[in-house]
Amino acid sequence: MAKGEGAESGSAAGLLPTGILPVAERPAQEPKKKQQLSICNKLCYAVGGAPYQVTGCALGFFLQIYLLDVAQVDPFSASIILFVGRAWDAFTDPLVGFCISKSSWTRLGRLMPWIIFSTPLAIIAYFLIWFVPDFPQGQALWYLLFYCLFETLVTCFHVPYSALTMFISTEQSERDSATAYRMTVEVLGTVLGTAIQGQIVGQVDMPCLQDPNDSALATEGANRTQSTTSLKETQNAYLLAAGVIASIYVVCAVILTLGVREQREPYETQQAEPMSFFRGLRLVMSHGPYVKLIAGFLFTSLAFMLVEGNFALFCTYTLGFRNEFQNLLLAIMLSATFTIPVWQWFLTRFGKKTAVYVGISSAVPFLILVAFTESNLIVTYVVAVAAGISVAAAFLLPWSMLPDVIDDFHLKQPQSHGTEPIFFSFYVFFTKFASGVSLGISTLSLDFAGYETRGCSQPTRVKFTLKMLVTIAPIALILLGLLLFKLYPIDEEKRRQNKKALQALREEASSSGYSDTDSTELASIL
């Protein structure tokens, strides 16, 4: 035996319990081959992210203007629908996470059954959101009911899909690569949602009233007939777009189900029984890196949600580009799609925290440009393309950093398995709840400013309010979020240390067996 080998063996024997180390007679094990995901596996997994983004993009960009100008719901009722719908959506995330954590493994896995059985009901509820019922007095209740129902069902799809990231591979690099595929497809999903909804609806001239204060006179006779016909065509266009998007939802769910297989962690299969949901929740919410990651992305996500929710109205009334806003949205999403691979390379080369600072802060100069320049279509397109670069970073980075936090948690709490749905569901809970608050407040702000339903133009106060909601407020939220990211402790060196420690834990779990106590001792030593 070489001198170096003997020293290394003696050092290991001094650190590790004898129950963990192999006995002398045991033949040396060959290093476990690195688990690789095929490109087909990654693509099938990535396609599963499209339904949530396609429907979410259509609802995020178009539901507010649809309720106000097509369904003709008054601004106060619209604000209630948007706030309660998003708040309910936020509440269902931890609820679904709790139910998933109690689910047993089946032949399809623990997560896949949720995805399969929620899909048909979700597409029915989604279609009915874009249907205008014949009873005007109950319209607000109709939209609130089906909006909440759809958000519940899509949560039953998206929470298990998000948690699936931890079960497609045990290799951190493979999960990061699959996440990059997923983010690219999800941004393509937003492009599809924007293109389908925007281009189909944009083909129809949405009716407006030149003088909303005299609407009773303006809609009499021929003008009233023409307005009613045009409004019906607009409603049918929204239904057509909903049908196309529902079809995409189904196709993507089928590809995900057939092309992805869940994998259990080697050390998880040795555990006797998963911990209770509330004990897991206490451990998750007391994990410092998770709390700091949520705090940072809560404010940056809120900034982009404010822009998303008010962009159509901002382009239509403040900038005066009534027939261009769907093309501007498409420019943003195409730009984001093409820059996702760039950000994946950047975070690999320079680290994820650096990518956060550079990527998300890049939107600030262009939002300032929009806030303090006069309406100009060319400048607006340039800003849209530049904003897409920052949107790509905002899409990719949260979902790329969350698995790092879960790995860190597993090392500190090696006996706490089955907590992945809690991590993902509560991250989505906080962002969705903040989104509901932002949409409710922004729509109420428009009501207080004097928003005029179906008006061809809006009062100066409404235009100013929209500019504040799309530019100044997001800038402040982005800067606050970036300050909070200074507290996030997992840098590239910490990630490398966690990766080596987890790999050692998995190799020991895959060997000839040891007790749960030995597993805890190994994790503590590592």
Side-chain angles (χ1 to χ4, degrees), residues 6-208:
E8 182 178 351
S9 177
S11 174
L15 286 174
L16 296 177
T18 57
I20 296 177
L21 291 173
V23 296
E25 292 79 7
R26 186 179 299 168
Q29 294 184 350
E30 295 182 1
K32 190 176 180 180
K33 186 177 179 181
K34 184 177 179 180
Q35 184 184 29
Q36 296 281 351
L37 290 174
S38 68
I39 293 178
C40 181
N41 290 142
K42 294 176 183 177
L43 286 174
C44 289
Y45 165 72
V47 164
Y52 181 78
Q53 296 300 334
V54 172
T55 56
C57 181
L59 290 169
F61 281 120
F62 292 92
L63 184 58
Q64 186 184 48
I65 195 170
Y66 168 80
L67 291 174
L68 293 173
D69 289 354
V70 180
Q72 300 182 45
V73 177
D74 65 273
F76 179 78
S77 298
S79 68
I80 296 299
I81 293 169
L82 294 171
F83 170 71
V84 174
R86 286 296 181 99
W88 172 254
D89 184 23
F91 173 76
T92 58
D93 282 289
L95 181 63
V96 171
F98 169 76
C99 295
I100 292 174
S101 69
K102 293 297 184 182
S103 300
S104 302
W105 282 83
T106 66
R107 293 177 59 187
L108 297 173
R110 186 172 65 177
L111 305 174
M112 281 298 183
W114 289 83
I115 294 172
I116 294 170
F117 293 113
S118 66
T119 295
L121 298 175
I123 60 173
I124 295 173
Y126 179 78
F127 185 81
L128 292 176
I129 291 174
W130 303 102
F131 176 77
V132 179
D134 293 332
F135 40 90
Q137 297 300 323
Q139 278 190 351
L141 183 60
W142 171 280
Y143 291 116
L144 180 61
L145 172 64
F146 285 106
Y147 187 30
C148 290
L149 179 61
F150 171 74
E151 294 294 357
T152 302
L153 293 167
V154 80
T155 297
C156 292
F157 182 103
H158 189 62
V159 168
Y161 172 74
S162 299
L164 192 61
T165 306
M166 302 302 299
F167 297 97
I168 57 175
S169 175
T170 58
E171 291 291 333
Q172 186 183 84
S173 59
E174 289 298 298
R175 293 201 304 258
D176 284 345
S177 176
T179 299
Y181 276 80
R182 170 190 167 186
M183 291 303 112
T184 302
V185 173
E186 286 194 357
V187 176
L188 281 172
T190 64
V191 172
L192 276 177
T194 303
I196 293 170
Q197 191 85 11
Q199 298 303 318
I200 292 178
V201 172
Q203 298 301 315
V204 180
D205 292 329
M206 189 165 60
C208 64

Side-chain angles (χ1 to χ4, degrees), residues 86-102 114 155 159 277-278 281 285 290 421-433:
R86 286 296 181 99
W88 172 254
D89 184 23
F91 173 76
T92 58
D93 282 289
L95 181 63
V96 171
F98 169 76
C99 295
I100 292 174
S101 69
K102 293 297 184 182
W114 289 83
T155 297
V159 168
F277 173 81
F278 293 104
L281 178 60
M285 298 310 298
Y290 181 63
I422 300 176
F423 275 99
F424 285 96
S425 63
F426 269 86
Y427 169 74
V428 178
F429 166 79
F430 287 114
T431 55
K432 285 183 177 179
F433 187 80

Side-chain angles (χ1 to χ4, degrees), residues 284-441:
V284 167
M285 298 310 298
S286 63
H287 189 55
Y290 181 63
V291 175
K292 292 165 185 174
L293 183 71
I294 283 180
F297 277 118
L298 179 64
F299 289 99
T300 56
S301 300
L302 183 55
F304 288 102
M305 289 172 187
L306 272 176
V307 176
E308 177 189 71
N310 296 283
F311 189 79
L313 293 173
F314 176 72
C315 289
T316 301
Y317 297 116
T318 303
L319 298 181
F321 304 140
R322 175 178 289 272
N323 297 321
E324 289 289 337
F325 78 87
Q326 65 269 20
N327 298 323
L328 289 166
L329 290 176
L330 196 56
I332 293 174
M333 295 307 167
L334 285 173
S335 173
T337 302
F338 291 128
T339 50
I340 281 279
V342 176
W343 286 118
Q344 174 63 19
W345 168 84
F346 189 95
L347 67 86
T348 303
R349 177 69 177 81
F350 299 102
K352 296 181 181 180
K353 286 189 72 173
T354 304
V356 167
Y357 293 129
V358 175
I360 295 179
S361 64
S362 64
V364 173
F366 298 99
L367 291 174
I368 293 174
L369 181 63
V370 172
F372 294 102
T373 58
E374 295 295 328
S375 175
N376 184 291
L377 186 58
I378 296 176
V379 172
T380 305
Y381 269 105
V382 171
V383 170
V385 172
I389 298 173
S390 189
V391 168
F395 262 96
L396 175 63
L397 291 168
W399 300 109
S400 180
M401 298 170 78
L402 197 51
D404 299 336
V405 172
I406 298 175
D407 285 343
D408 186 73
F409 177 82
H410 283 162
L411 281 175
K412 295 177 180 177
Q413 303 285 344
Q415 303 289 18
S416 304
H417 67 282
T419 55
E420 292 84 1
I422 300 176
F423 275 99
F424 285 96
S425 63
F426 269 86
Y427 169 74
V428 178
F429 166 79
F430 287 114
T431 55
K432 285 183 177 179
F433 187 80
S435 171
V437 172
S438 70
L439 280 175
I441 292 176

